[in-house]
Amino acid sequence: MTQNDEISLAGVSETALWTAQMRAGESRKPHALFSDPWAGRFVAAAGGFHGPPGAGAFQVLLPEWLAVRTRFFDDHLMARAGAGCRQVVLLGAGLDTRALRLDWPAGTRLYEVDLPAVHAFKEAVLADGAPAAAERVAVRADLQGPWSEALIAAGFDPAEPTAWLCEGLLYYLEPEVVAELVATVSGLSAPGSSLGAECLNAETAHSSFMRPWLEDMAAAGTPWPWRLRDPEDWWGRHGWSADVTDLWSLPYVVERMGAFRNLLQGGEELSMLLVTGMRK
């Protein structure tokens, strides 16, 4: 990794950087599912190309999956904002730029929760005054420890409905850490609050499609220990009325991922689950 002389990469994960790399690549496509003009800035500040470990079937599909995932949660958050929600929390926000690139209604506050080092890198790259459509609030906290006080101190109001997003986060955490994190989220969620979460399907984690990817990630020091067998039941027991999205019902998923179905066998397209729900 090449380090910029002025911007420190200390504490910024490789996963955050290769996610930014793929978002930048998607944004250059003529029929991109979203536009993130800041993703390329992060990659440039980090010294150029970053990519995931390994070279299996999942890695082939990964850029398209990240594009689909990003578009899906963009639409989900915009729908919640359209329904009147003005408080959004991105947990493990990383190098997300939704505060800058989405057309938020006036009065929306978007809280980005992540480690101090991640925020330091991000702020340095965005220091030239990138305009935000929403009020962007950086919350410096470790989600594997106490973090609710930092969120509230930043202006978060637990009495107001919240749109929570856990994108590319939960499966990196141990099950007991996820349970505690979600319990905190539930406790901070007023009626009308929503969530969006990406989950790893335990039923397909050992398949020929997913197993090599999980082994490559573990070897790189970033294992995915949290998996779900029945997402709707699990989220229900944690206070949420949740649904798993039928990905193939979305035209842009068919358009982007249909050509890769020959890589998938026995329902393995459901290896990654996009879950949305409302607070019970």
Side-chain angles (χ1 to χ4, degrees), residues 73-84 98 102-105 108:
F73 285 130
D74 282 358
D75 291 348
H76 169 70
L77 291 175
M78 287 290 92
R80 298 314 306 154
R98 287 185 171 93
L102 295 184
D103 187 16
W104 298 98
T108 303

Side-chain angles (χ1 to χ4, degrees), residues 8 12 43 47 71 121 139 182 235:
S8 174
V12 181
V43 176
R71 168 64 181 275
F121 173 76
V139 181
V182 172
W235 286 102

Side-chain angles (χ1 to χ4, degrees), residues 66-167:
L66 289 182
V68 163
R69 181 186 81 181
T70 302
R71 168 64 181 275
F72 176 84
F73 285 130
D74 282 358
D75 291 348
H76 169 70
L77 291 175
M78 287 290 92
R80 298 314 306 154
C85 183
R86 295 294 179 267
Q87 186 165 251
V88 180
V89 179
L90 307 183
L91 296 175
L95 304 180
D96 188 284
T97 62
R98 287 185 171 93
L100 308 177
R101 64 180 181 78
L102 295 184
D103 187 16
W104 298 98
T108 303
R109 300 190 83 191
L110 195 149
Y111 298 88
E112 300 179 352
V113 187
D114 215 317
L115 297 169
V118 176
H119 282 298
F121 173 76
K122 190 172 186 177
E123 297 305 324
V125 174
L126 300 178
D128 59 354
E135 181 181 355
R136 178 171 163 263
V137 182
V139 181
R140 295 162 178 81
D142 184 351
L143 291 168
Q144 299 193 67
W147 55 271
S148 60
E149 289 185 5
L151 180 61
I152 293 171
F156 175 85
D157 185 355
E160 293 295 324
T162 304
W164 300 90
L165 181 61
C166 303
E167 179 186 28

Side-chain angles (χ1 to χ4, degrees), residues 18 52-59 62 171-172 199-228 271-272:
W18 53 253
F58 188 83
Q59 286 89 330
L62 186 57
Y171 38 71
Y172 288 104
C199 307
L200 172 60
N201 187 353
E203 297 290 345
T204 62
H206 298 288
S207 69
S208 59
F209 177 69
M210 284 301 295
R211 188 181 65 253
W213 164 255
L214 296 176
E215 291 173 350
D216 288 336
M217 289 296 285
T222 49
W224 287 14
W226 186 68
R227 303 157 188 193
L228 289 182
S271 294
M272 302 305 301

